[in-house]
Amino acid sequence: YLLTNDIAKANEQYSRVALYTDNSDRDRVMQGQALMANGKYDDARTIFEGILSRDPNNKVAASLLQGCKKLDEMKKDSLFIQVDGVNIPTTSPVYSAFPYNDGLIITSPSSKGDMDPYTNNAFTDLYFSKKEGAPWGAPQPLSGVNGPYHDAVAAVSPNGQLMVFTRNFQLNAGKLGGDDNNVSNTQLYMSRRLPDGTWQKPELMPFCTHKFMFAHPTFTADGTTMYFSSNMSGSGQMDIFMVKQIEGVWGVPQNIGTGVNTAGNEVFPSVRQDGRLYFSSDGHTTIGGLDVLFSESRDGSWQAPRHMSYPLNSSYDDFSIAWNSDGKTGYFSSDRTGADRIYFFSEVSPIISLEGLIMAKDGGIPVGGTRITIINMTDGTEKITFAGPDGIYQARLLMDKDY
């Protein structure tokens, strides 16, 4: 129930089995996650503290406990982000919006009526919704792409010629394929855009294997690198990987490392135009479920991820962030209303002013003309300013930077 986001039933079942003596700490972590998603932070905190009393090195429990302890701080409305619902005309759940061709490629249950035996819900398809003035148009199935099973979470290359999306593994005959345990892991499929604007028959990405799960593709601004989620690290959980394309040939995927990936799940990566990596995680410190975080690469290493501000993040699953070309607005998905929906967000850039006074150490007299170097520790750039005759200096600082 937790894995299919039925939080009420998950908590009901966990409460029944909580006293079983053979529960593992992984079971207890998942119970704590279900409690956080239901707003029961004190109960979740008790569970995580119990886990850490036995296993102080349980990093997932430690991160989630920090989320419980820092709840008030993390749920403060930062005023830096404005969130509004996207009213796509459908009664079905919709999620994972990707801006494309003056509209959105979205994921929603298929209208074909076939059911996924694992979730007992309809299989998903890819749809396109175009903004028609103020309202959004009715979603239309994406021509040439959707198959009989799950098709979801798409990304289009910056030149608009290649689409990569998540699909159940299928045999050449179109039948559902599985791994050695008969589990149909999702894979990444690619489709090239034809001159008439339609998409050709999808093909399996060359590095995918039915033994592991591959999902949630995204491209960098130059289109040469793709990030995605996979469990091929062998832990059973999802990590973020990257793969480069050189002269039209995709290379070998690389795990981007423990700066971003945890013992939990890191999923739904997205790269903004400036190279900043956004993703969702339940292994870092969150306020419940999946939360959106971001990290920047410095000298080839990903820096400690930062938590996106409330109200973009909530106690529910918040995921699949995608940026518009302006780098200040975009879309994300959340089940905070009980079903997956798409939301529009915009960043509000505050003016951050630094003001100080330079005084002599011994006499306390203002020292005018002092040269002051302000170092941006995030990207290594420097800014030079000088104190005025009265010893006062001022400077403008950038948001989300360490100085």
Side-chain angles (χ1 to χ4, degrees), residues 91-113:
T91 58
S92 299
V94 288
Y95 61 96
S96 291
F98 184 86
Y100 171 74
N101 197 21
D102 298 324
L104 296 174
I105 296 175
I106 60 176
T107 302
S108 192
S110 170
S111 59
K112 295 189 291 288

Side-chain angles (χ1 to χ4, degrees), residues 77-228:
D77 192 331
S78 69
L79 304 180
F80 294 162
I81 294 179
Q82 181 176 339
V83 172
D84 297 290
V86 175
N87 188 22
I88 293 176
T90 176
T91 58
S92 299
V94 288
Y95 61 96
S96 291
F98 184 86
Y100 171 74
N101 197 21
D102 298 324
L104 296 174
I105 296 175
I106 60 176
T107 302
S108 192
S110 170
S111 59
K112 295 189 291 288
D114 295 326
M115 306 299 285
D116 181 343
Y118 178 68
T119 64
N120 203 34
N121 295 322
F123 287 109
T124 55
D125 277 345
L126 291 168
Y127 295 81
F128 179 72
S129 177
K130 198 175 187 71
K131 196 165 189 180
E132 301 169 347
W136 288 87
Q140 302 297 320
L142 211 56
S143 177
V145 173
N146 293 314
Y149 309 110
H150 283 301
D151 298 287
V153 193
V156 178
S157 61
N159 65 8
Q161 299 305 302
L162 180 69
M163 176 167 58
V164 180
F165 62 97
T166 308
R167 162 181 277 190
N168 279 116
F169 175 61
Q170 296 182 24
L171 303 174
N172 290 333
K175 294 183 179 180
L176 202 62
D179 61 11
D180 296 339
N181 296 316
N182 205 31
V183 174
S184 180
N185 291 309
T186 60
Q187 306 287 293
L188 294 179
Y189 283 74
M190 58 182 176
S191 177
R192 301 191 182 278
R193 193 171 186 266
L194 299 172
D196 63 359
T198 60
W199 297 93
Q200 70 177 189
K201 183 179 179 181
E203 300 176 3
L204 184 68
M205 295 290 288
F207 51 80
C208 288
T209 168
H210 68 283
K211 294 182 179 180
F212 300 107
M213 182 179 292
F214 297 79
H216 317 149
T218 189
F219 290 93
T220 54
D222 62 5
T224 63
T225 304
M226 184 171 67
Y227 290 82
F228 61 91

Side-chain angles (χ1 to χ4, degrees), residues 3 31 71 73 75 94 97 104 113 150 178 233 257 263 280 290 294 328 341 343 347 351 365 388 391:
L3 297 178
Q31 181 184 7
L71 179 64
E73 175 186 342
K75 293 193 76 170
V94 288
L104 296 174
H150 283 301
S233 297
S280 290
L290 292 170
F294 65 88
K328 295 183 179 295
R341 306 300 296 179
Y343 294 84
E347 285 191 340
I351 297 174
I365 301 172

Side-chain angles (χ1 to χ4, degrees), residues 314-335:
S314 69
S315 62
Y316 296 89
D317 282 338
D318 307 296
F319 60 98
S320 202
I321 191 170
W323 292 87
N324 288 319
S325 58
D326 60 12
K328 295 183 179 295
T329 63
Y331 302 89
F332 73 100
S333 302
S334 178
D335 63 351

